[in-house]
Amino acid sequence: MTAHDHDAALDCGTTIDELSDYLDRDRTPADPHIESCPDCLNALEALERVGRLSRDLIDADAAELPAPPESWFERIFTSIQEELHAGRSLPISHPDPRVQITVTEGAVRALLRDSGDAIDGVFVSRTEIVGDAETLGAPVEINLTASVRFGTSIQKLTDELREVAYAALAKHTDLNVTAVNISVEDIHTDSKDAS
């Protein structure tokens, strides 16, 4: 990871390094901006997720699975930085034509990551909304990239991830999702599984 990557700033101006330092201090003293800024809170959550996963990988039994290469962590951090920006404004329908409601693309990506990560054995590392998501009713596809736990059924986990993604998007957005495409790029172990 380059020095430039660490200096990357969110839309609000807070850098990844500042957020990482804040997490290292156990979020004390509390920073009112960070604790109330949706971009910062999404970034903190993403950094905490990566921290948990990397600790699990480091603690895993090396004989069972080799440690991931440095480039694996770099890809995850790069994906997180790209996805932390608010992105496009996606419309939400409302019966009153004078009312305009939108949700940011970044919020939808966070929703997809959180929904996928709630599945035991899945870690969503990248999300992408492909298509004209800014036009209500236009068809879009969702691309998810994930890591799955070593020793689990990839088919079962990807089927569950696809189902959870469809349900979350139907509940929280008005996107016309025509497909949820899932790529499994990595296999991971959990330290609790390595005993």
Side-chain angles (χ1 to χ4, degrees):
M1 190 173 290
T2 67
H4 171 72
D5 293 330
H6 287 292
D7 293 337
L10 305 177
D11 290 344
C12 66
T14 306
T15 67
I16 297 296
D17 275 347
E18 290 170 331
L19 292 174
S20 182
D21 291 343
Y22 187 58
L23 280 178
D24 289 344
R25 296 191 314 265
D26 291 326
R27 296 168 86 153
T28 55
D31 183 311
H33 167 75
I34 292 174
E35 294 297 340
S36 63
C37 172
D39 287 343
C40 289
L41 292 173
N42 279 341
L44 283 176
E45 182 181 343
L47 290 170
E48 287 174 328
R49 287 173 47 245
V50 169
R52 282 192 304 270
L53 180 62
S54 62
R55 284 189 298 276
D56 287 345
L57 288 166
I58 289 167
D59 293 341
D61 183 359
E64 190 174 325
L65 203 68
E70 181 66 27
S71 63
W72 185 81
F73 289 110
E74 190 171 318
R75 282 197 321 268
I76 289 178
F77 279 116
T78 300
S79 293
I80 289 170
Q81 285 181 342
E82 289 172 0
E83 293 182 7
L84 288 177
H85 296 286
R88 299 176 285 181
S89 293
L90 314 181
I92 302 287
S93 62
H94 191 277
D96 186 340
R98 298 170 294 170
V99 176
Q100 290 186 339
I101 303 172
T102 61
V103 61
T104 66
E105 187 172 11
V108 174
R109 287 177 165 180
L111 169 70
L112 288 165
R113 279 194 307 274
D114 290 347
S115 300
D117 289 350
I119 300 170
D120 188 36
V122 173
F123 178 82
V124 177
S125 58
R126 184 166 177 78
T127 64
E128 183 182 19
I129 302 169
V130 180
D132 184 11
E134 294 174 285
T135 300
L136 199 59
V140 297
E141 291 190 12
I142 305 298
N143 293 334
L144 302 177
T145 303
S147 172
V148 298
R149 182 183 299 134
F150 177 76
T152 57
S153 166
I154 292 175
Q155 181 68 46
K156 178 181 177 288
L157 290 179
T158 55
D159 286 348
E160 190 174 350
L161 177 56
R162 184 174 289 106
E163 183 178 315
V164 164
Y166 272 119
L169 291 168
K171 181 176 182 179
H172 298 286
T173 75
D174 283 333
L175 291 172
N176 176 16
V177 180
T178 58
V180 174
N181 307 307
I182 300 171
S183 297
V184 175
E185 286 191 345
D186 294 294
I187 305 289
H188 66 268
T189 59
D190 290 337
S191 57
K192 62 185 175 223
D193 297 333
S195 55

